[in-house]
Amino acid sequence: MPIMENLHSHTEFCDGRASMEEMAKAAYEAGFTVWGTSPHSPICCPSGANMKAGDVEAYIEASNLLKKEYGGKMRLLTGMEVDFISEDFGPHIDYFRSLPLDYRIGSVHFVCTKEGRPVDVDGPADRFLKYLESEYAGDLRYVVETYYAEELKMLECGGFEIIGHLDKIGDNGSHAMPDLEDKQWYAELVEKVIAAAVEKDVIIEVNTKKFDTGSRFFPSERWWPLLKKYNAKLILSTDAHYPGKVAAGYSEAYERLRKYGMTHQLISF
């Protein structure tokens, strides 16, 4: 039976599809012993997915109330998934360091165009393909290399405990170049990030969000031998946006990690 700890979830405070109360109830009923909420942070550019800075205080208050409600039943943690945009905006800046959070997930969702404009490269594949042409002139290699360069910068700047879905760009990028993840240059980029995360003592998230719909994890299972090679600290998460998805892919990832002789990190913060 997997140790049910999950620190990546989204609610009404960002682009989640349910309230914190509904998500916590679903997590408890699914058997989680530790559950963390991690809304997409306020950000320095327009975004329909990120929470507003004015809602941060209300979010922390709501999380603290839930902690009292579930005291003795399930450990609740107050987190945030913080976007890294540049050396001027990310988990490392004073604003995010000053918030009374239990942990921070550092993630890259935006890649700046060559003109310096942040564009969301996460999201649905069809939108990514549209942006690839309209914002990056079809230069997929620029997008991919910049994405991983930003993750390396984020790790260097610090300010977070967990790196989120570190190879997410591989999924969307593969819709434009089906053999992208088979390229040697691509594999080298992934390995650099894994090695840097281990060097910085950052926990690598094994994100199960897309297992039900796309039969893959982030990082992809093809990179798990690298996780073992570098003896990476791992945490399983479902990145759930709906109550019905709080445990999606979790048990499958747990069992597959065991076959590789790996396990996920027990939460100590």
Side-chain angles (χ1 to χ4, degrees), residues 194-210:
I194 290 172
V198 172
E199 180 184 355
K200 297 295 183 180
D201 198 30
V202 169
I203 301 168
I204 294 176
E205 170 191 74
V206 176
N207 186 307
T208 70
K209 178 181 179 180
K210 199 168 181 183

Side-chain angles (χ1 to χ4, degrees), residues 55-268:
D55 291 335
V56 171
E57 183 177 350
Y59 158 65
I60 293 172
E61 289 178 358
S63 183
N64 287 336
L65 285 174
L66 274 179
K67 286 180 179 180
K68 294 179 181 178
E69 181 179 339
Y70 281 88
K73 297 190 295 183
M74 178 175 67
R75 185 182 178 203
L76 281 166
L77 296 175
T78 307
M80 187 173 287
E81 184 178 15
V82 184
D83 276 286
F84 182 87
I85 304 296
S86 70
E87 290 92 336
D88 296 322
F89 191 95
H92 60 288
I93 67 174
D94 290 344
Y95 172 71
F96 293 117
R97 286 180 180 270
S98 69
L99 294 177
L101 301 170
D102 295 314
Y103 65 96
R104 295 155 188 80
I105 300 171
S107 296
V108 172
H109 298 95
F110 293 79
V111 169
C112 287
T113 65
K114 293 178 181 179
E115 297 74 34
R117 183 175 61 259
V119 175
D120 187 351
V121 297
D122 198 71
D126 57 348
R127 189 183 73 177
F128 172 80
L129 293 173
K130 175 183 174 182
Y131 287 167
L132 179 62
E133 296 304 321
S134 66
E135 304 295 335
Y136 305 104
D139 192 345
L140 178 65
R141 184 150 181 172
Y142 166 81
V143 175
V144 171
E145 290 182 338
T146 304
Y147 176 93
Y148 285 112
E150 292 303 293
E151 290 197 323
L152 291 172
K153 290 178 190 174
M154 180 175 70
L155 285 162
E156 188 62 34
C157 290
F160 61 102
E161 293 79 17
I162 302 165
I163 183 168
H165 46 64
L166 69 81
D167 69 335
K168 192 78 176 287
I169 195 66
D171 184 37
N172 272 346
S174 293
H175 286 83
M177 182 186 293
D179 63 344
L180 171 65
E181 294 176 289
D182 297 325
K183 304 288 188 184
Q184 182 62 32
W185 63 266
Y186 181 89
E188 290 172 358
L189 293 173
V190 174
E191 183 164 6
K192 283 181 181 178
V193 173
I194 290 172
V198 172
E199 180 184 355
K200 297 295 183 180
D201 198 30
V202 169
I203 301 168
I204 294 176
E205 170 191 74
V206 176
N207 186 307
T208 70
K209 178 181 179 180
K210 199 168 181 183
F211 182 78
D212 283 357
T213 58
S215 299
R216 72 169 291 162
F217 304 108
F218 302 108
S220 168
E221 196 169 348
R222 69 165 66 200
W223 310 124
W224 288 12
L226 290 176
L227 299 179
K228 186 171 184 178
K229 171 185 173 181
Y230 286 96
N231 195 27
K233 292 181 180 179
L234 307 177
I235 185 170
L236 285 178
S237 72
T238 58
D239 195 357
H241 288 61
Y242 299 84
K245 295 289 188 178
V246 295
Y250 194 97
S251 294
E252 290 86 351
Y254 177 87
E255 292 302 329
R256 292 187 188 195
L257 282 171
R258 287 184 63 193
K259 290 180 181 179
Y260 281 88
M262 297 186 290
T263 186
H264 62 302
Q265 184 79 2
L266 299 180
I267 305 309
S268 59

